[in-house]
Amino acid sequence: MNPVLKLLLEGGHLSTAQMAQVVGLSEAEVQQHLEQLKKDKIFLGWRPVLDLSRAEAAGAAVRAVIEVKVTPERGGGFNRLAERLARFDEVESCYLMSGGYDLLVFVDGSSLQKVAAFVSEKLSTLEGVLSTSTHFMLRSYKEGGFLIDQNEASSTRLTVTP
Amino acid sequence: MSVDSKRWVAGHVAALPKSGIRDFFELVAKMKGQDVISLGVGEPDFVTPWHIREAAIYALEKGKTYYTSNLGMIELRRAIAGYVSEHFNVSYKPESEILVTVGVSEAIDLALRALCNPGDKVMYHQPCYVSYHPSVALVHAQGVAVPTFAKDHFALTAEALRAAWVPGCKILMLNLPCNPTGGTCDRVQLEAIAAFCREKDLLVMSDEIYSELTFEGTHTSIASLPGMQERTIFLHGFSKAFAMTGWRIGYACGPEPLIDAMMKVHQYTMLCASIIAQEAALEALLRGWDSVCKMRDQYHRRRDLVVRRFNEIGLICHAPRGSFYAFPSTQNMGVSEKDFAVGLLREEKVAVVPGSAFGANGLGHVRACFATSYEQLIVACDRIERYAGTLRK
Ligand SMILES: Cc1ncc(COP(=O)(O)O)c(C=O)c1O
């Protein structure tokens, strides 16, 4: 496996200079690997993981998960509709699901009204959408692999041990 | 009125040297609050995987707060039998050939107490884990150190064993991969050692606590070689591979009469290992392997990083095939390993352990543990490079 990809999968954040040291390549080579991964559309991009409930983060004040039932099309299945839906800025992630509904859509918005408007005016009026069921998120306990408000006392390790 | 309390201390205990690790710990402790990066540790930086911790919490909730069988919970011994058979290729009966202990530390102590008469000789390769010689001395046995060398990447050779052997040697203690050198033996070397043990009728105590952290090739247990299971006590535990040092769980596997003798000592002195820790260990064996592999892969990359940097800096060192220790030579630095370690701590605030703490054969080396984050390792290497630069001027 691409050594840079292996490192990315560990989930820590290192600068390219640090990555270069860890995998034993030059910075330019690490950069090249990253470019290649982007070109191959394996590595889609960077973004910070924030606790969006904090005022300072001022991100999405309201987040919703929406279950969407749709009519599949002959030939294209769910793809055409899902791809169209995914292009809206409000849509944070969008997945095709097995089970009781077809698409699961994560939506971010700055207010309840904005999210509600997106669902009623855009999402549910798309041709092929049969029904939606919207759930608002109340609180986050873990975000992108990071625990929120829970500390691990890992620094109690002694400095010199046998 | 002053009483000399010291005179009550037993002679063989008073005679034990103070651990070099302890000395260094005190030195580092004095620098509290000074942004010291410690490569002086002997344990993982990872916390125990959550599913293992959660299993212990669940056990507590279910009221599992009693003593267990002296040998340890039978479910755990069965899981150990399965694990050892799968990973080490040796079969032990969970009912009579496996004893759960309070860390490998207790298992070593039990084996020595159960097997040594005063004056018996116990061989061990050196540099070695700091407890080996004191544990031997505490049972009034005599230690016989067998040197291992940097030129062999600190693998134990049958030739060195033969050269060090003296009449009266009864036990050989092995620790492969080795703390502090990271040295291991390949199958051929191990076969030669096994042949020597059979020739001299030596019993082997094989401490394989770092075996899962083998980076190249597969780990071979001496117990799995022909004719060796009957003369080997296999010692293993959860501290390193499962990041469970604080839980204090280990185990010994071996021929029934030997496990029985160890159990006798264990039942009168320890009774049993903590039930909560045993529950956690069971969970580790049943569902912990993925975590072990993930941690091992990270140690592997960290090893490559520090070994490359050390060699660039002039701290010559081989890539340890196992464990999380690098054991570079300080001979190019123009100072003793002790002065190097003390100077590095004072000037650049990086702690490594002088090799002499691990026996005379560790002179001229330092132990650097790479169970620390990439970021910290990179900064530590930069600081070491700066310090080495000032020495060479
Ligand atoms: C070689 C060796 N054996 C035994 C131990 C002790 O292990 P435990 O935590 O299982 O008592 C250590 C710990 O550093 C070690 O390095």
Side-chain angles (χ1 to χ4, degrees):
Chain A
M1 196 200 265
N2 181 328
V4 174
L5 180 55
K6 237 184 190 168
L7 206 53
L8 290 178
L9 282 171
E10 275 179 22
H13 175 71
L14 298 179
S15 67
T16 30
Q18 286 171 323
M19 280 200 241
Q21 289 231 17
V22 173
V23 298
L25 298 171
S26 70
E27 266 191 80
E29 287 168 314
V30 169
Q31 202 58 50
Q32 251 172 27
H33 275 301
L34 287 172
E35 295 301 329
Q36 190 59 45
L37 286 168
K38 277 188 190 165
K39 238 193 240 156
D40 298 342
K41 303 222 173 192
I42 295 169
F43 173 42
L44 301 177
W46 301 107
R47 69 188 303 190
V49 182
L50 301 173
D51 178 356
L52 294 174
S53 69
R54 300 287 295 268
E56 299 94 314
V62 178
R63 303 164 80 197
V65 190
I66 306 161
E67 301 166 5
V68 187
K69 285 186 186 162
V70 303
T71 327
E73 287 172 22
R74 193 176 183 112
F78 299 95
N79 290 348
R80 199 190 58 85
L81 182 63
E83 283 164 8
R84 184 160 170 198
L85 185 51
R87 283 178 182 270
F88 284 101
D89 285 344
E90 290 88 341
V91 173
E92 157 65 30
S93 337
C94 178
Y95 310 94
L96 177 64
M97 308 294 289
S98 67
Y101 52 90
D102 305 307
L103 298 176
L104 186 64
V105 182
F106 287 71
V107 170
D108 284 357
S110 55
S111 70
L112 200 68
Q113 285 75 11
K114 284 197 172 137
V115 174
F118 172 73
V119 175
S120 59
E121 291 164 22
K122 303 286 184 212
L123 210 170
S124 47
T125 59
L126 281 176
E127 182 154 348
V129 170
L130 294 176
S131 70
T132 64
S133 170
T134 303
H135 312 269
F136 287 99
M137 290 189 199
L138 300 181
R139 181 173 172 179
S140 166
Y141 294 90
K142 191 173 189 179
E143 200 68 60
F146 293 88
L147 292 175
I148 290 176
D149 275 351
Q150 274 179 273
N151 294 321
E152 201 99 84
S154 57
S155 56
T156 54
R157 189 166 66 146
L158 298 175
T159 47
V160 182
T161 43
Chain B
M1 193 186 69
S2 82
V3 175
D4 174 18
S5 318
K6 253 194 187 153
R7 71 202 149 92
W8 283 308
V9 176
H12 68 297
V13 174
L16 284 181
K18 208 168 144 218
S19 147
I21 292 264
R22 188 78 220 159
D23 288 346
F24 215 71
F25 176 73
E26 278 159 18
L27 212 58
V28 177
K30 280 196 199 119
M31 300 187 56
K32 218 175 155 123
Q34 287 195 47
D35 176 37
V36 172
I37 298 182
S38 183
L39 310 184
V41 294
E43 61 179 326
D45 55 324
F46 301 107
V47 233
T48 308
W50 173 251
H51 69 99
I52 298 174
R53 290 187 272 160
E54 199 271 341
I57 296 168
Y58 182 73
L60 275 178
E61 283 174 347
K62 290 279 157 199
K64 299 217 175 163
T65 58
Y66 301 103
Y67 291 134
T68 71
S69 144
N70 294 130
L71 288 170
M73 287 164 23
I74 185 67
E75 301 85 346
L76 176 57
R77 281 181 280 140
R78 285 201 191 104
I80 290 170
Y83 183 83
V84 172
S85 151
E86 181 185 341
H87 293 271
F88 299 89
N89 207 16
V90 209
S91 298
Y92 292 103
K93 293 194 197 78
E95 296 77 21
S96 55
E97 296 180 327
I98 298 174
L99 170 65
V100 177
T101 58
V102 180
V104 172
S105 303
E106 195 217 353
I108 292 170
D109 182 44
L110 288 178
L112 290 170
R113 283 207 262 176
L115 305 175
C116 290
N117 293 306
D120 281 349
K121 296 194 176 77
V122 179
M123 307 181 84
Y124 51 86
H125 49 99
Q126 200 193 53
C128 65
Y129 181 47
V130 293
S131 298
Y132 284 4
H133 184 263
S135 305
V136 169
L138 281 173
V139 299
H140 306 280
Q142 262 183 52
V144 177
V146 185
T148 59
F149 303 99
K151 70 171 170 57
D152 304 319
H153 295 182
F154 293 99
L156 173 64
T157 65
E159 297 77 61
L161 255 185
R162 191 173 292 281
W165 183 87
V166 285
C169 283
K170 177 171 177 178
I171 296 174
L172 168 63
M173 292 172 79
L174 288 181
N175 174 218
L176 306 165
C178 174
N179 173 7
T181 62
T184 56
C185 288
D186 60 28
R187 200 182 170 92
V188 175
Q189 290 169 317
L190 216 52
E191 270 163 359
I193 293 167
F196 181 80
C197 293
R198 288 191 300 264
E199 176 192 327
K200 300 294 187 192
D201 193 26
L202 291 173
L203 175 100
V204 178
M205 282 170 56
S206 187
D207 174 352
E208 305 189 22
I209 194 162
Y210 293 101
S211 55
E212 288 89 349
L213 310 181
T214 298
F215 307 121
E216 277 105 15
T218 48
H219 171 83
T220 306
S221 172
I222 194 162
S224 70
L225 299 183
M228 289 310 289
Q229 183 171 359
E230 64 216 48
R231 59 171 67 248
T232 301
I233 298 181
F234 172 88
L235 306 170
H236 201 9
F238 296 83
S239 288
K240 315 292 170 164
F242 293 92
M244 291 178 68
T245 46
W247 297 84
R248 314 305 306 122
I249 288 283
Y251 51 92
C253 307
E256 182 170 342
L258 304 184
I259 292 298
D260 208 44
M262 288 171 67
M263 207 277 273
K264 252 192 205 165
V265 183
H266 176 74
Q267 73 180 356
Y268 292 130
T269 54
M270 194 62 68
L271 220 167
C272 69
S274 146
I275 186 171
I276 302 149
Q278 290 192 53
E279 289 281 350
L282 179 59
E283 170 69 19
L285 289 183
L286 296 182
R287 282 173 282 272
W289 185 247
D290 283 354
S291 308
V292 171
C293 295
K294 268 193 199 141
M295 291 189 273
R296 182 192 54 205
D297 287 351
Q298 286 209 27
Y299 293 134
H300 190 163
R301 280 191 280 284
R302 295 166 178 188
R303 178 202 69 168
D304 291 350
L305 163 67
V306 297
V307 168
R308 193 182 60 248
R309 287 293 304 269
F310 282 177
N311 281 305
E312 283 166 10
I313 292 166
L315 289 162
I316 301 307
C317 89
H318 72 284
R321 195 162 73 93
S323 83
F324 39 56
Y325 306 108
F327 201 60
S329 158
T330 49
Q331 71 183 30
N332 289 344
M333 298 295 131
V335 291
S336 74
E337 82 288 336
K338 232 180 194 150
D339 291 344
F340 179 85
V342 172
L344 179 62
L345 181 62
R346 291 239 166 86
E347 303 299 321
E348 291 289 349
K349 309 201 175 15
V350 175
V352 294
V353 182
S356 41
F358 307 97
N361 298 306
L363 280 173
H365 291 262
V366 292
R367 188 190 75 176
C369 173
F370 48 82
T372 291
S373 71
Y374 298 131
E375 288 94 331
Q376 292 256 329
L377 287 175
I378 290 170
V379 176
C381 287
D382 291 346
R383 293 185 187 179
I384 294 172
E385 182 166 17
R386 211 157 49 207
Y387 178 62
T390 63
L391 290 179
R392 276 200 233 95
K393 272 193 200 124

